[in-house]
Amino acid sequence: MAAGILTSAVLSALYARGGPGWLLGFVMLVPWLGTLNASRSLAATLGSAYLMSLAFTAAVFPWFGIALGRYTHVGASTGLAVLLLAAPLFQPQFLVFALVRHVSGRGHGPLLRALAAAAAWVAAEWLLPKLLGDTLGHGLYPSALMRQGAAVGGAAGLTVLLLLANEGVVAALARDRSNARAGWRAAAQPLALAALGPLLLAGYGLVALPDSGTAADKPLRMGLVQSNIVDYEGLRRQKGAGAVVRDVLDTHFAMSYDAVVRRHADAVLWSETAYPTTFGHPKSEAGAGFDREILATVHAAGVPFVFGTYDIDSGGEYNAAAFVQPGGPVGFYRKTHLFPFTEYVPAWLDGPRLRSLLPWTGNWKAGNGARVFPLRLADGREIPVLPLICLDDVDAGLAIAGAKLGAQAILTMSNDSWFSDAPEGARLHQTVAAFRSIETGLPQFRVTSNGYSAAFDASGALLAGTRMGEPALVVADVAVRKPAPTLMVRWGDWVGRAACALLLLLAARAAIPSWRSPAADGVSPARLAMTFPVRVAVLPPAARLAAALLRVMARAGLLGICVALLLNEALRTNTLAQIRLFSGLFLAPEAASWCVLLAFAAQASISDGVLVLTRGAQRIELALGEIAAVRLWRLPVPAAGLALRLASGQRWRYGLALANPLAFAAALAGAGGPQGFEQPGATMGVYARARLALRSRKLDRPLVKFGLLPLALAIPAFHLHQHIAYGSAFGEYYTFGLKAYLLAFALWWAAWSIGVVLSAALLRAAIEAGTLLAALLHPGRAIEVRRWLERAGRAALYVGLPGWLLANLFGA
């Protein structure tokens, strides 16, 4: 156990250092996972998790304990000791991960155990936000390709893929040891799982990385002033408060002059609390004079300044950012996330005794969330920007909220001076901040008092930066525009919520016996019953190929429409254009495929040991004794179906497409035909059987799914539209008549129908991919996995869509 934990800790330390060490992220936990596999009892598992949290903290975050000790004047060794004692609280995800992994391993296979454990990890980090906002996914920042996945699932999504990769490697090692004869073949399936995450990230990164040759709009040229003036309190004791403020302002004025006059910056950004007193609410005559100097400097420069300061009102004092234009102040942003026990103390702990024990604690108040301010430039442009202060940038939700408010750039101010002797901390803070740009698609200017200051583009790439512990001026050009919203902006920080939902579903499955598999082989008995005659399509090869190609075109058309709606904002609001696209790319090929199947439709029955296929006066008979085997189609295109192999060894020239091939094959066997199936290949055979094993539900019927559900969604949405646009539920009817009113409702219904079809198509793609993956990695549980995926798909469609609509209705 000790060797595994120490090895994982060393690998984690190398991973956290950055550079090429990011490659270790996919294997760094493998030694520790091996110790968890060897731990048979819950106590041993939790003990291993506790030791891993301790070793991980000691290997990756020793600088944090040292910085805390020096900041609080208790000494570096004492600070480190306190951090290690609190390691399970500092990194609680290790305990939660190990607990869920141990419990889920009792009733599930390696794949579902790995998914449950990874979900537990990110759910713990989402429910119990960590002080520094760190997660494993941040270590992939050095790879330009890998980090782009954060636009889809945030840093938490990267963490999930890293954990699954580690699980795949440890499973491959375990199989290789337990099945030495099979060699690498035994390890192939889990290694495929391990490789899936990196391949997905690399593929997405190749697609998502912006083209450097693309013409950009006029960039925003910002000057970042890193003064390298730290320890204001120590300087105040030496020189006095007025002299310190004088030195601070003189330094910032000189560097700002250089940025504006010599290097032609469009705006200037100072660091957090660069102006160490309240701006606009002076506490003395000297403070009022300093305020006037700042206003005069901004007026003379002719460009906007944004700087860290303090704000005050009747409720208290705030760590703030001031926006000042040449014409005067614009407003203040108040820091949302204060650092505990330094900037504030929780009210339930606060008191004179605690203040006497922790004299360095502040008494600032927290702001009320994201705000977007206009940055009015001298050339007439007005750029909406989102300010963040220090710990604000570890909260993805705050940056996402700003992006939804229309921000086109992020301005981050920080004071990382307490990391002066621990540059690892400042580097981690900068990396976490860079992820806010990837997640939102917004470029970022980030300035600190003494490093690291930087400018990032929308992909998180570092365009310009400074070193630690030196005065520096960064003037960087960054392209700003209204970006297409990323999935993170659309859905919010969704990975943590999805992980919690998965864990709840697994817990419900364990608690509710009726949710378990109804049959030993996972096939519902109702699926094996069939009443003749039954409708089939008797397809020669050319007809099947034609119908299959048309249906594939229709499904590809749906995915193409999804991509078009994602990338084209104008299309999302143009219902008529959506209807034209939907008709041309989906309805037309789908209808053509249906016509092919209709042209070859027939009735099938079994009579006196003979399979009889009839269509009008046409009749085909095939003795059951001539049928040697029944083979399910590998892929259900154009529909589910089967092929017959004759006793002569040849395949019958017709394929049979029908709704329930399993029941049809069972009926053939019951009437004296071949018993069982001839598998079309190990993985595809399991996949085909899993697709057909479950009984169809009423909610799966097309009329309910694509007719009634969109109607139920369209009615309240149309009702709200009538109130907003016309003042009442029947406003359009009173204004333009019944025809216009009904036509408008029909368009709303059509739009919702298209939305439901597209949502169902995406869910179906996910269900089929999940089933195929289960058939590949864990064939024995493919049907069970399919059952849960189908339930999740119905919940997403019949609960998720109405829930989303209600949230928007109440928001409106």
Side-chain angles (χ1 to χ4, degrees):
M1 179 185 293
I5 290 172
L6 290 176
T7 303
S8 282
V10 171
L11 293 175
S12 298
L14 294 174
Y15 172 69
R17 291 179 67 87
W22 67 266
L23 291 164
L24 296 174
F26 299 101
V27 296
M28 65 182 180
L29 295 180
V30 168
W32 175 58
L33 293 176
T35 69
L36 290 183
N37 288 345
S39 301
R40 300 304 177 190
S41 67
L42 179 59
T45 298
L46 294 178
S48 176
Y50 169 76
L51 293 175
M52 187 64 222
S53 70
L54 191 68
F56 184 85
T57 302
V60 179
F61 295 101
W63 52 265
F64 185 61
I66 294 170
L68 280 177
R70 289 174 176 166
Y71 179 84
T72 57
H73 306 292
V74 298
S77 58
T78 302
L80 181 58
V82 170
L83 179 66
L84 294 179
L85 285 173
L89 299 177
F90 186 64
Q91 299 291 331
Q93 72 278 6
F94 284 99
L95 288 167
V96 178
F97 172 86
L99 173 64
V100 172
R101 191 177 188 273
H102 179 83
V103 173
S104 60
R106 295 174 177 175
H108 304 293
L111 177 60
L112 201 53
R113 180 185 69 180
L115 287 172
W121 183 295
V122 294
E125 292 183 328
W126 183 67
L127 293 171
L128 307 169
K130 293 190 286 186
L131 192 61
L132 302 179
D134 58 282
T135 188
L136 296 181
H138 290 140
L140 292 179
Y141 177 76
S143 171
L145 289 180
M146 298 292 173
R147 68 183 182 227
Q148 300 310 315
V152 176
L158 303 185
T159 296
V160 170
L161 294 179
L162 285 169
L163 291 169
L164 293 178
N166 279 268
E167 289 277 14
V169 173
V170 77
L173 292 174
R175 285 196 182 187
D176 188 49
R177 290 168 186 162
S178 62
N179 193 355
R181 291 184 179 180
W184 64 270
R185 294 180 181 177
Q189 290 183 350
L191 282 178
L193 172 64
L196 181 62
L199 290 175
L200 286 174
L201 290 175
Y204 179 80
L206 287 171
V207 174
L209 273 177
D211 183 3
S212 58
T214 303
D217 299 334
K218 185 177 180 180
L220 170 61
R221 187 174 179 84
M222 180 77 75
L224 313 180
V225 176
Q226 178 178 301
S227 68
N228 200 39
I229 301 176
V230 297
D231 191 17
Y232 282 14
E233 287 299 321
L235 293 173
R236 186 177 288 117
R237 288 192 296 269
Q238 295 175 14
K239 300 180 178 182
V244 172
V245 177
R246 177 77 274 156
D247 287 349
V248 168
L249 288 182
D250 287 345
T251 301
H252 282 81
F253 287 160
M255 298 178 76
S256 300
Y257 176 87
D258 188 30
V260 175
V261 176
R262 294 176 180 164
R263 303 182 64 178
H264 310 293
D266 295 322
V268 176
L269 183 64
W270 296 356
S271 64
E272 177 188 14
T273 61
Y275 183 49
T277 184
T278 54
F279 176 74
H281 302 279
K283 297 180 180 179
S284 65
E285 183 55 38
F290 290 139
D291 285 1
R292 289 192 292 271
E293 282 190 52
I294 292 175
L295 292 173
T297 299
V298 176
H299 180 74
V303 302
F305 278 49
V306 182
F307 56 89
T309 181
Y310 297 104
D311 191 19
I312 192 170
D313 62 15
S314 58
E317 197 164 311
Y318 304 85
N319 186 341
F323 281 73
V324 181
Q325 294 285 151
V330 174
F332 290 88
Y333 165 72
R334 294 170 173 178
K335 183 177 179 180
T336 300
H337 297 292
L338 302 175
F339 206 92
F341 299 104
T342 55
E343 293 183 302
Y344 86 106
V345 175
W348 60 276
L349 274 178
D350 204 358
R353 179 173 296 180
L354 181 69
R355 294 281 177 175
S356 65
L357 292 174
L358 307 176
W360 59 81
T361 53
N363 199 28
W364 286 281
K365 304 297 181 183
N368 55 5
R371 292 189 65 189
V372 171
F373 291 83
L375 203 63
R376 301 186 181 97
L377 307 184
D379 60 8
R381 288 182 294 159
E382 183 173 296
I383 299 175
V385 297
L386 167 71
L388 299 175
I389 300 177
C390 192
L391 206 59
D392 287 343
D393 61 22
V394 307
D395 179 11
L398 204 60
I400 290 169
K404 290 182 176 180
L405 290 173
Q408 295 181 14
I410 300 173
L411 304 184
T412 305
M413 292 148 278
S414 187
N415 182 352
D416 289 346
S417 60
W418 65 313
F419 293 138
S420 297
D421 297 324
E424 300 94 336
R427 185 175 57 79
L428 172 64
H429 196 183
Q430 177 174 274
T431 297
V432 174
F435 270 85
R436 304 295 85 88
S437 288
I438 304 170
E439 292 159 351
T440 60
L442 300 178
Q444 181 178 176
F445 294 97
R446 183 175 185 270
V447 65
T448 69
S449 55
N450 67 327
Y452 298 105
S453 301
F456 301 97
D457 69 11
S459 70
L462 178 65
L463 302 178
T466 67
R467 291 190 293 268
M468 192 82 182
E470 64 180 23
L473 173 65
V474 176
V475 178
D477 293 332
V478 171
V480 291
R481 61 175 66 86
K482 185 177 181 181
T486 65
L487 192 67
M488 282 288 286
V489 172
R490 292 184 182 280
W491 291 5
D493 195 3
W494 62 272
V495 172
R497 295 194 296 271
C500 291
L502 174 61
L503 294 175
L504 288 174
L505 282 173
L506 292 175
R509 178 189 180 278
I512 304 174
S514 61
W515 280 28
R516 297 172 186 166
S517 302
D521 64 352
V523 182
S524 171
R527 293 292 291 166
L528 300 179
M530 176 165 281
T531 303
F532 286 97
V534 63
R535 184 183 179 87
V536 300
V538 185
L539 299 175
R544 184 190 175 195
L545 178 62
L549 288 176
L550 288 167
R551 188 143 289 176
V552 169
M553 288 173 57
R555 300 301 185 269
L558 289 178
L559 296 180
I561 296 171
C562 290
V563 173
L565 288 172
L566 185 65
L567 299 179
N568 190 335
E569 186 175 0
L571 180 61
R572 293 196 291 271
T573 58
N574 190 334
T575 302
L576 291 177
Q578 292 176 26
I579 293 174
R580 287 193 293 269
L581 268 180
F582 187 75
S583 300
L585 296 181
F586 172 69
L587 289 181
E590 183 73 11
S593 177
W594 181 82
C595 288
V596 173
L597 294 177
L598 182 63
F600 291 89
Q603 296 289 328
S605 59
I606 298 176
S607 176
D608 298 326
V610 176
L611 173 63
V612 181
L613 302 169
T614 59
R615 175 181 171 84
Q618 296 177 315
R619 181 182 179 93
I620 299 176
E621 295 184 356
L622 183 63
L624 298 184
E626 296 181 24
I627 303 174
V630 177
R631 184 185 181 96
L632 294 176
W633 285 349
R634 293 186 181 185
L635 294 175
V637 286
L642 48 81
L644 304 178
R645 184 168 61 83
L646 303 180
S648 63
Q650 296 181 338
R651 177 182 292 189
W652 195 43
R653 64 182 182 274
Y654 298 111
L656 300 179
L658 68 164
N660 193 346
L662 286 178
F664 189 81
L668 291 179
Q675 302 295 315
F677 296 93
E678 185 181 76
Q679 295 293 345
T683 299
M684 297 309 296
V686 172
Y687 168 69
R689 189 173 177 84
R691 284 194 75 259
L692 301 169
L694 305 182
R695 181 168 58 89
S696 178
R697 304 287 180 177
K698 291 181 179 180
L699 292 179
D700 296 327
R701 294 177 180 175
L703 178 61
V704 176
K705 185 186 293 187
F706 303 125
L708 297 182
L709 176 60
L711 177 63
L713 296 170
I715 289 173
F718 181 71
H719 180 79
L720 178 64
H721 163 73
Q722 290 292 309
H723 276 277
I724 293 175
Y726 298 99
S728 71
F730 297 96
E732 192 169 6
Y733 166 70
Y734 295 137
T735 305
F736 297 107
L738 180 62
K739 181 179 179 181
Y741 183 82
L742 293 177
L743 180 61
F745 178 74
L747 289 175
W748 276 81
W749 190 0
W752 275 104
S753 296
I754 293 172
V756 170
V757 170
L758 295 178
S759 300
L762 292 175
L763 290 170
R764 179 55 48 196
I767 290 169
E768 300 303 332
T771 305
L772 187 58
L773 186 62
L776 173 67
L777 299 177
H778 206 305
R781 292 188 175 271
I783 294 176
E784 181 185 3
V785 170
R786 175 79 179 201
R787 180 176 288 107
W788 279 94
L789 288 174
E790 291 285 358
R791 287 171 176 167
R794 291 188 195 99
L797 205 61
Y798 287 97
V799 178
L801 285 180
W804 178 83
L805 176 60
L806 287 174
N808 282 270
L809 289 178
F810 284 119

